Amino acid sequence: MTTPLDAAVTRVLDWAAGQQPSAGTRKVLAVEGRSGSGKTTLARAVGERLGAPLIHMDDLYAGWDGLERGVTALRDWVLEPLAEGRPAVWQRWDWAAGEYTGHHPVPDADWLVVEGVGAGGRLLRAYTCGVVWLESPTAVRKQRALARDGQTYAPHWSRWARHEDAFYATEQVRESADLLILTEE
């Protein structure tokens, strides 16, 4: 029996088969959608099937108000270097310390999957071969997010939603996505 996740992965892989490199020799896929829509689950499954490293935007946001800074970090540390044929090395945001730490080289591969709010923004589109948008009802997304992150996220749900609202109002990511996948379960 095919699960909704299996069907979504197959759909993305079928689409991906025809894509050309978008950042140097690398094909970059952005998996987008609001918090709790299932981005991480889908991106992980697609990345495994493609043999692709996976970067989570959650690791790049400079705190709860750092969405824009995370998008810029992805461009500056990862996508521009790949497009220029240079090694890409990014830093993880340490949420407790409030600063970027460590150095994380992006492994060589044909594909790179980036998941998270902002991964499909206009600033990054020149480096991506496509954007997959995941859509779920708000109640389902909130239930998933709080089940995943519990009380750590609960006090920030509305704050983060406002950042998503502002970002998506100007970026029109859903409207320009290459694939739209509904994730209602």
Side-chain angles (χ1 to χ4, degrees):
M1 178 177 187
T2 302
T3 68
L5 176 60
D6 293 335
V9 170
T10 297
R11 188 167 168 217
V12 173
L13 293 174
D14 287 348
W15 169 85
Q19 299 308 306
Q20 298 298 313
S22 54
T25 60
R26 188 83 56 118
K27 299 172 197 172
V28 179
L29 174 65
V31 180
E32 264 276 14
R34 292 179 175 270
S35 183
S37 61
K39 299 177 299 295
T40 302
T41 301
L42 179 66
R44 188 175 290 125
V46 168
E48 286 174 6
R49 295 279 301 274
L50 292 173
L54 174 62
I55 294 178
H56 304 279
M57 291 299 295
D58 286 352
D59 291 333
L60 298 175
Y61 303 137
W64 291 109
D65 300 311
L67 192 157
E68 296 286 340
R69 188 167 171 198
V71 170
T72 303
L74 179 63
R75 182 198 61 195
D76 295 349
W77 295 339
V78 177
L79 301 178
E80 277 184 352
L82 290 176
E84 295 169 359
R86 297 184 289 118
V89 179
W90 58 275
Q91 292 185 292
R92 176 175 284 118
W93 181 258
D94 182 327
W95 288 73
E99 63 186 11
Y100 286 105
T101 63
H103 291 87
H104 307 277
V106 177
D108 288 334
D110 292 335
W111 282 90
L112 171 64
V113 177
V114 182
E115 69 83 20
V117 175
R122 281 189 217 144
L123 185 66
L124 308 177
R125 279 306 296 250
Y127 304 100
T128 61
C129 63
V131 175
V132 176
W133 176 271
L134 280 84
E135 178 119 358
S136 296
T138 302
V140 171
R141 292 187 305 99
K142 187 172 184 178
Q143 180 182 24
R144 284 182 192 153
L146 296 180
R148 176 191 66 215
D149 297 326
Q151 293 308 307
T152 301
Y153 189 12
H156 303 287
W157 172 264
S158 295
R159 178 181 182 181
W160 185 251
R162 286 190 299 275
H163 288 292
E164 290 178 340
D165 289 344
F167 184 81
Y168 291 136
T170 60
E171 296 292 316
Q172 303 293 306
V173 177
R174 183 188 189 280
E175 295 76 8
S176 63
D178 298 284
L179 291 176
L180 175 66
I181 297 175
L182 302 176
T183 60
E184 297 191 28
E185 295 178 3

